[in-house]
Amino acid sequence: MSSTSHADTAAAAQDGAQAPAPRRRRGVRRLSVRDRVVVGVLLGIPLLLDLAFVWFPAIGTALLSFTKWNGVGSLHTQTCKPNVPSILNNGCWYGVQNYHQAATIYPEFWPAVRHNLIWLAVFVLIATPLGMLFAVLIDRGIRGSRMYQSILFLPVMLSLALVGIIWEFMYSQNYGLINTVLGRTSDSNAIDWLGNPHLNLWSVLVEATWRQSGYVMVLYLAGLKAVDPTLREAALMDGANAWQTFWRVIFPVMKPINIVVMVVTVIESLRAFDLVYITNKGINGLELLSVLVTSNIVGETQRVGFGSALGVVLLVISLVPISVFLYQTFRREEAS
């Protein structure tokens, strides 16, 4: 009996010796002092720049929008006194009165909001699909695609000021190319594309679309080049035509590019300033929020608080479509 128990014990010990020892978890390697310094510099500098040039000005603008300040003197927390000259109320706390005045007694406000929304709609519904179409056609390797790509991208390389000057020659009432082609160059039948408040907004939108479509084209070309070619081959083997391949296979894969294009489109449409300012300084049918912000903050009126309120309105308008688009995009991703 004793010998049997000794034999069992020896066998168990032998089995234990043959069993692999449990693997020790590797501890997380601690960063050296040098590595910490490098990581701190690489993360800290962009963070500080972002805070200094994006977040602090945005928060400061939002705070200034609740004050009545002309940019001179100090700010204080005292409430503005009614029926007192503005110079005596400078720097006081004004609450939401700037927003109320903009919506009720500032005649340029609602036309500017409407024009900004029209600008955004044209960019989303015309400029972006047009740029996508150009990208798809060039990506298919048509003959002369490099030349077409350079021609379509050329407006993006030009400054908006130069684009506006070029199109002023195109729209010239008596000597412009468009009126010459239409045969409307005499004083009696010439079309005033930039002076007529019923036409000038759409005329300037043609200039902006001409430039924006090339920008969108380059972004989508980059996305199309990054798509795995095997996806196209698999769709072709499944019998999908070019239209089905793009919308059901290629387009969903380019979701990061779609997000970038959407954000860029909204930003470009709502920060529009140069073209309308060159045309007629943003008046007479070309009122935009960006022009109103500039004229109130750095113009003769020097109403920094009121101009800041208009800037906050512009920021909110830009954040709404971006937030809705991102929410819908990530919601569909989670559902799938």
Side-chain angles (χ1 to χ4, degrees), residues 272-327:
F273 174 82
D274 309 63
L275 294 178
V276 298
Y277 197 80
I278 290 171
T279 302
N280 64 358
K281 298 188 181 300
I283 59 175
N284 191 30
L286 288 180
E287 295 84 1
L288 292 177
L289 286 173
S290 57
V291 178
L292 299 185
V293 171
T294 304
S295 62
N296 280 279
I297 292 181
V298 300
E300 296 179 358
T301 57
Q302 288 288 315
R303 295 192 295 174
V304 177
F306 186 76
S308 299
L310 297 177
V312 172
V313 172
L314 181 60
L315 176 63
V316 171
I317 293 176
S318 63
L319 288 179
V320 168
I322 293 176
S323 301
V324 171
F325 177 78
L326 293 178
Y327 173 77

Side-chain angles (χ1 to χ4, degrees), residues 22-41:
R23 306 177 78 180
R24 294 183 179 180
R25 293 182 179 179
R26 293 184 178 180
V28 179
R29 187 174 70 87
R30 294 184 178 181
L31 297 177
S32 64
V33 176
R34 180 181 178 182
D35 293 337
R36 292 178 182 177
V37 171
V38 172
V39 172
V41 170

Side-chain angles (χ1 to χ4, degrees), residues 123-134:
F123 268 28
V124 172
L125 300 178
I126 298 178
T128 298
L130 191 60
M132 184 190 302
L133 175 63
F134 291 154

Side-chain angles (χ1 to χ4, degrees), residues 45-326:
I45 292 179
L47 178 61
L48 290 176
L49 292 175
D50 187 57
L51 291 174
F53 294 105
V54 178
W55 289 103
F56 287 161
I59 296 174
T61 300
L63 294 177
L64 286 175
S65 68
F66 297 103
T67 65
K68 191 174 185 178
W69 189 44
N70 61 10
V72 180
S74 60
L75 295 167
H76 51 81
T77 57
Q78 296 179 359
T79 305
C80 296
K81 299 178 181 179
N83 302 323
V84 174
S86 298
I87 191 172
L88 300 178
N89 265 335
N90 184 44
C92 59
W93 185 259
Y94 208 34
V96 296
Q97 289 302 310
N98 286 323
Y99 297 95
H100 181 263
Q101 291 179 5
T104 56
I105 63 174
Y106 191 50
E108 293 89 355
F109 176 73
W110 288 113
V113 172
R114 183 173 66 253
H115 295 162
N116 270 113
L117 294 177
I118 292 174
W119 204 292
L120 175 61
V122 169
F123 268 28
V124 172
L125 300 178
I126 298 178
T128 298
L130 191 60
M132 184 190 302
L133 175 63
F134 291 154
V136 172
L137 293 176
I138 292 175
D139 184 65
R140 295 183 65 180
I142 61 176
R143 186 175 182 181
S145 59
R146 295 297 181 113
M147 180 185 65
Y148 296 138
Q149 182 177 344
S150 301
I151 293 174
L152 294 172
F153 186 68
L154 180 61
V156 184
M157 301 174 61
L158 304 177
S159 66
L160 284 171
L162 185 56
V163 170
I165 294 173
I166 292 173
W167 279 91
E168 278 191 355
F169 288 108
M170 302 279 287
Y171 286 129
S172 178
Q173 190 170 352
N174 299 112
Y175 306 102
L177 176 63
I178 297 177
N179 277 353
T180 300
V181 172
L182 296 176
R184 307 287 293 272
T185 55
S186 63
D187 294 334
S188 60
N189 65 353
I191 301 175
D192 190 3
W193 297 100
L194 300 178
N196 188 338
H198 300 291
L199 295 176
N200 54 12
L201 177 63
W202 304 104
S203 301
V204 174
L205 280 171
V206 171
E207 309 174 24
T209 301
W210 179 60
R211 184 179 186 274
Q212 181 68 14
S213 59
Y215 192 9
V216 174
M217 177 199 69
V218 172
L219 294 177
Y220 272 116
L221 271 176
L224 290 171
K225 298 299 182 184
V227 174
D228 189 354
T230 58
L231 294 177
R232 303 175 190 266
E233 298 174 0
L236 183 62
M237 294 178 62
D238 290 339
N241 55 32
W243 178 266
Q244 294 171 334
T245 300
F246 179 77
W247 286 112
R248 297 183 181 181
V249 179
I250 306 301
F251 188 76
V253 173
M254 294 193 301
K255 184 180 70 174
I257 297 296
N258 295 329
I259 294 175
V260 171
V261 169
M262 179 62 185
V263 173
V264 168
T265 299
V266 173
I267 293 174
E268 289 292 327
S269 62
L270 296 178
R271 76 179 186 92
F273 174 82
D274 309 63
L275 294 178
V276 298
Y277 197 80
I278 290 171
T279 302
N280 64 358
K281 298 188 181 300
I283 59 175
N284 191 30
L286 288 180
E287 295 84 1
L288 292 177
L289 286 173
S290 57
V291 178
L292 299 185
V293 171
T294 304
S295 62
N296 280 279
I297 292 181
V298 300
E300 296 179 358
T301 57
Q302 288 288 315
R303 295 192 295 174
V304 177
F306 186 76
S308 299
L310 297 177
V312 172
V313 172
L314 181 60
L315 176 63
V316 171
I317 293 176
S318 63
L319 288 179
V320 168
I322 293 176
S323 301
V324 171
F325 177 78
L326 293 178

